[in-house]
Amino acid sequence: MQKRKTGNILFLCCWMILLSVKAAAEEEYIIYKDPNKPLNKRIKDLMKRMTLEEKIGQMIQIDRTKATPDVLKKYYIGSVLSGGGSVPKKEATAEDWIDMINGFQKGSLSTRLGIPMIYGIDAVHGNNNVYKATIFPHNVALGVTRDPQLIKKIGAATALEARATGIPYVFAPCLAVCRDPRWGRCCESYSEDPNIVRSMTEMVPGLQGDIPSNGRLGVPFVANKEKVTACAKHYVGDGGTVKGINENNTIIDRHGLLSIHMAGYYSSIIKGVATVMVSYSSWNGVRMHGNKELVTGFLKGTLRFRGFVISDWAGIDKLTYPWHTNYTYSILEGVNAGIDMVMLPYNYTEFIDGLTYLVNNNFVSMTRIEDAVKRILRVKFQMGLFENPLADYSLTKHLGSPEHRELAREAVRRSLVLLKNGANADEPVLPLPKKATSILVAGTHANNMGYQCGGWTITWQGLSGNITIGTTILSAIESTVDPETKVVYKENPDSEFVKSNNFSYAIVVVGETPYAEGSGDSLNLTIPAPGPDIMTTVCASVKCVVVLVTGRPVVIQPYLAQIDALVAAWLPGTEGQGVADVLFGDYGFTGKLARTWFKTVDQLPMNVGDSHYNPLFPFGFGLTTEPVKA
């Protein structure tokens, strides 16, 4: 009897233990953490667990200089970014970047719900903030190629180089249709022609991956850990401002806005772009950061965009003038317009306090907050950030890889435009002979990696000098000519030097100094001194080829008669060998202008199809040459 009683007690104990284990297991099972559950169920499950404080935290993006693991944990910060030049340290390695980002991420993962943050960076022509990265030609050059598949390959390479540094989110591509080269961001625009810009949206599947055959068009899609979340920018009309002044007013009717400036957004949304960045500019006097009609109504409503909308850097601050004078109003206008994630990038506690007040007092509805957070979580879930929140060190090998540099070199070759080649077709100057007694290489841009790359390289506005790893145009020329050819480099030679050395020919490389938005705006578009003097001095005394390194067409008509051959090389990036490849005939010139080249700035704005169209070189112009057979 005693044995049976003891057995029953043991059985009962075991049964209770099993029940408690089962209950614990059921309690530990959380839907949003299950990658096998449908996306919407995961979002819904997580949302119902979140407090207002946690939801507002997801809507915030701060710069890395304000981020620490503790800050991310305490305020539930949804995203961190590197502004232009905001790096872990000078010449930081891929491992340095990963260590920093993973450190921030561990702060996010230690929160109550463990929602990972997403790290973003401007990778507008390669992973351009990062030392040793492959710097591709700026978009103004890539539009010349008119080759969407080349652009897609560049997107894939950029994605790998971003992931090599632990970065899963890039603010690219820029889909601006630059209608006035006086704009300092014209170098970021593929063309004045919306059709070319639309075709270049292949950058999106290059960065994010192709939507699978059974996938839904228009829904954010990031294929795997070798791809990144892309960002179509700057929505919308940024390339059409009055006189090309940055952040200015775009005056155009609705039909013009939709047919010209919206072109790239239609295609990129169909291709699954995950985020869209709002423009600083205005449309007919209404700031885009406060334009509910176009952000909520058209982008989210008509175009059925399902990703999240992000502001530009301190973009909501600029809804008032002077900036930041009524910040509560700015938060109200920006969030109610439909901005989901706000790039602050510094004043996060002020934003939290302001938005919390607006929600608690019914100025911003919970419906609007829920919409923003759902969109942000949809992107994070879809890109696999919950399953793989920490960066993978195995991808560091892709930073500046030989394969990517070769791709960039090809892009340089195919983006060069030959504007003049001798006095007539019977006496071409190019391709140049590799074998000569001695040749002169001159100009401010021949031996300057920073000038060759332009703005948005290592720092926001760009730099002069040996700023990263690559091949200058001078070193490319030296490695291409015959070993017996003497190459003499003098940046700014005087007339006597040029005449007395009896050079076979000269290559003059001049252009614009680096710039980005704001400081890049120019009402005169002249080549900075001493560029014009170098051209006139050299070309007056010896047969010369002028290579222009610029982010847009510039004033060249006054010097054209004196120049024997003229090449637009745009901003070629780190692979200057691509310029030499074509100058010396290993490859032919094939590029056709994707922008109109004006005679004088008084003609601007002037685009193909305008009634007053009278260019120096028309849209689509470009002389061709055949490769020299060995």
Side-chain angles (χ1 to χ4, degrees):
M1 188 73 179
Q2 184 65 35
K3 280 186 178 181
R4 186 183 295 173
K5 191 173 181 182
T6 305
N8 286 341
I9 291 169
L10 283 170
F11 174 78
L12 192 61
C13 289
C14 290
W15 180 247
M16 289 175 70
I17 290 168
L18 284 170
L19 283 175
S20 64
V21 169
K22 184 183 178 187
E26 286 176 351
E27 192 177 324
E28 285 170 12
Y29 175 74
I30 298 172
I31 291 173
Y32 80 84
K33 292 185 177 181
D34 185 350
N36 297 312
K37 287 293 181 184
L39 189 64
N40 286 335
K41 283 193 174 181
R42 298 181 76 187
I43 294 169
K44 187 176 180 180
D45 179 66
L46 179 50
M47 290 280 292
K48 73 181 183 184
R49 299 170 188 270
M50 296 173 72
T51 64
L52 176 61
E53 189 180 10
E54 288 166 329
K55 288 172 181 174
I56 288 175
Q58 284 302 301
M59 297 172 67
I60 292 171
Q61 185 179 66
I62 61 173
D63 186 73
R64 56 160 287 281
T65 56
K66 291 294 180 181
T68 67
D70 287 342
V71 166
L72 270 73
K73 181 179 180 180
K74 182 177 179 180
Y75 297 101
Y76 312 105
I77 302 296
S79 183
V80 181
L81 85 152
S82 278
S86 184
V87 300
K89 64 181 183 182
K90 188 178 180 182
E91 298 184 3
T93 64
E95 289 81 3
D96 291 330
W97 280 91
I98 291 175
D99 290 343
M100 176 190 71
I101 293 167
N102 280 352
F104 294 149
Q105 190 66 282
K106 287 170 185 174
S108 294
L109 298 177
S110 68
T111 55
R112 182 177 71 92
L113 296 171
I115 304 172
M117 67 87 189
I118 182 171
Y119 198 96
I121 200 165
D122 284 281
V124 298
H125 60 144
N127 194 4
N128 47 257
N129 280 274
V130 178
Y131 185 71
K132 288 188 180 177
T134 308
I135 306 299
F136 291 91
H138 266 293
N139 289 353
V140 68
L142 298 182
V144 164
T145 70
R146 290 168 171 75
D147 185 348
Q149 291 311 303
L150 175 66
I151 272 58
K152 186 175 182 179
K153 289 177 185 176
I154 290 170
T158 300
L160 273 174
E161 297 215 9
R163 286 289 194 172
T165 51
I167 298 168
Y169 180 23
V170 302
F171 309 128
C174 178
L175 300 178
V177 183
C178 176
R179 304 290 283 179
D180 193 325
R182 291 174 291 188
W183 185 38
R185 301 194 87 151
C186 213
C187 61
E188 296 182 55
S189 170
Y190 293 108
S191 180
E192 69 190 43
D193 179 3
N195 292 316
I196 290 179
V197 174
R198 184 185 286 118
S199 71
M200 298 291 105
T201 58
E202 277 301 289
M203 180 65 78
V204 171
L207 291 166
Q208 296 190 164
D210 289 303
I211 296 175
S213 56
N214 61 347
R216 288 176 60 197
L217 296 179
V219 176
F221 177 77
V222 182
N224 53 51
K225 289 195 291 183
E226 294 188 346
K227 297 296 183 180
V228 294
T229 294
C231 181
K233 64 182 191 180
H234 310 87
Y235 183 86
V236 61
D238 51 341
T241 59
V242 174
K243 295 184 179 179
I245 298 169
N246 194 49
E247 304 181 19
N248 203 7
N249 192 20
T250 296
I251 301 172
I252 193 170
D253 63 21
R254 187 178 182 86
H255 173 74
L257 184 81
L258 299 187
S259 60
I260 295 172
H261 298 286
M262 198 71 76
Y265 295 95
Y266 302 134
S267 298
S268 61
I269 290 167
I270 289 170
K271 292 172 183 179
V273 73
T275 73
V276 170
M277 183 183 290
V278 183
S279 176
Y280 286 129
S281 58
S282 304
W283 175 45
N284 294 337
V286 179
R287 285 271 181 193
M288 281 306 307
H289 275 75
N291 195 320
K292 186 174 182 178
E293 176 196 354
L294 285 179
V295 177
T296 296
F298 194 80
L299 180 63
K300 293 181 175 181
T302 305
L303 298 185
R304 298 187 61 78
F305 172 62
R306 290 292 174 265
F308 69 77
V309 176
I310 187 168
S311 80
D312 208 332
W313 178 279
I316 66 167
D317 298 47
K318 300 183 180 185
L319 286 171
T320 58
Y321 188 82
W323 300 342
H324 202 83
T325 47
N326 186 343
Y327 196 56
T328 304
Y329 169 83
S330 294
I331 297 169
L332 176 69
E333 287 294 293
V335 173
N336 278 345
I339 294 170
D340 304 310
M341 182 177 281
V342 182
M343 190 187 295
L344 292 171
Y346 303 128
N347 55 323
Y348 55 90
T349 55
E350 185 183 6
F351 178 84
I352 291 167
D353 292 343
L355 185 52
T356 303
Y357 168 82
L358 290 167
V359 173
N360 288 336
N361 289 277
N362 300 318
F363 293 105
V364 174
S365 69
M366 275 306 299
T367 303
R368 173 75 272 273
I369 300 297
E370 302 271 329
D371 172 60
V373 178
K374 278 178 189 174
R375 289 169 176 275
I376 292 162
L377 294 179
R378 181 180 292 127
V379 171
K380 289 185 176 184
F381 276 123
Q382 206 291 319
M383 65 186 290
L385 199 58
F386 279 78
E387 287 67 56
N388 298 291
L390 297 176
D392 187 346
Y393 288 88
S394 70
L395 298 176
T396 57
K397 62 187 177 184
H398 294 295
L399 185 68
S401 71
E403 296 82 4
H404 295 166
R405 292 188 183 278
E406 188 54 44
L407 177 64
R409 181 175 170 181
E410 178 191 353
V412 174
R413 290 196 295 260
R414 297 180 58 192
S415 62
L416 302 176
V417 181
L418 182 55
L419 298 172
K420 182 179 179 180
N421 193 17
N424 57 68
D426 296 325
E427 300 176 40
V429 175
L430 294 166
L432 294 166
K434 292 181 181 179
K435 193 160 189 174
T437 307
S438 69
I439 64 174
L440 171 65
V441 179
T444 47
H445 289 55
N447 193 36
N448 193 313
M449 180 59 64
Y451 282 8
Q452 194 172 297
C453 293
W456 288 111
T457 311
I458 305 300
T459 68
W460 174 37
Q461 294 287 334
L463 296 163
S464 174
N466 186 24
I467 63 170
T468 190
I469 304 299
T471 305
T472 65
I473 294 172
L474 172 64
S475 59
I477 291 168
E478 291 172 334
S479 65
T480 302
V481 296
D482 188 272
E484 295 180 11
T485 299
K486 183 181 179 184
V487 178
V488 177
Y489 169 63
K490 196 166 183 67
E491 183 177 315
N492 190 2
D494 59 31
S495 180
E496 183 57 35
F497 179 85
V498 178
K499 291 174 182 175
S500 63
N501 276 278
N502 196 30
F503 294 111
S504 303
Y505 55 84
I507 301 171
V508 179
V509 191
V510 294
E512 296 183 293
T513 51
Y515 54 79
E517 61 204 270
S519 67
D521 291 356
S522 172
L523 292 177
N524 57 40
L525 292 176
T526 53
I527 299 167
D533 288 344
I534 297 171
M535 283 191 294
T536 52
T537 298
V538 174
C539 294
S541 304
V542 63
K543 183 164 66 175
C544 74
V545 176
V546 170
V547 177
L548 292 177
V549 177
T550 67
R552 53 200 164 183
V554 292
V555 173
I556 196 67
Q557 188 183 34
Y559 319 105
L560 193 57
Q562 209 170 21
I563 295 168
D564 295 294
L566 179 63
V567 176
W570 313 109
L571 296 169
T574 52
E575 306 314 301
Q577 188 63 51
V579 177
D581 287 343
V582 185
L583 288 180
F584 293 97
D586 291 328
Y587 294 82
F589 281 94
T590 59
K592 304 291 183 184
L593 287 177
R595 296 209 56 80
T596 297
W597 204 294
F598 58 88
K599 291 177 180 175
T600 70
V601 290
D602 295 336
Q603 296 175 295
L604 299 176
M606 178 177 64
N607 296 283
V608 63
D610 287 349
S611 58
H612 65 290
Y613 200 68
N614 182 28
L616 182 62
F617 300 109
F619 175 90
F621 180 82
L623 303 172
T624 58
T625 62
E626 292 297 321
V628 176
K629 292 178 181 176

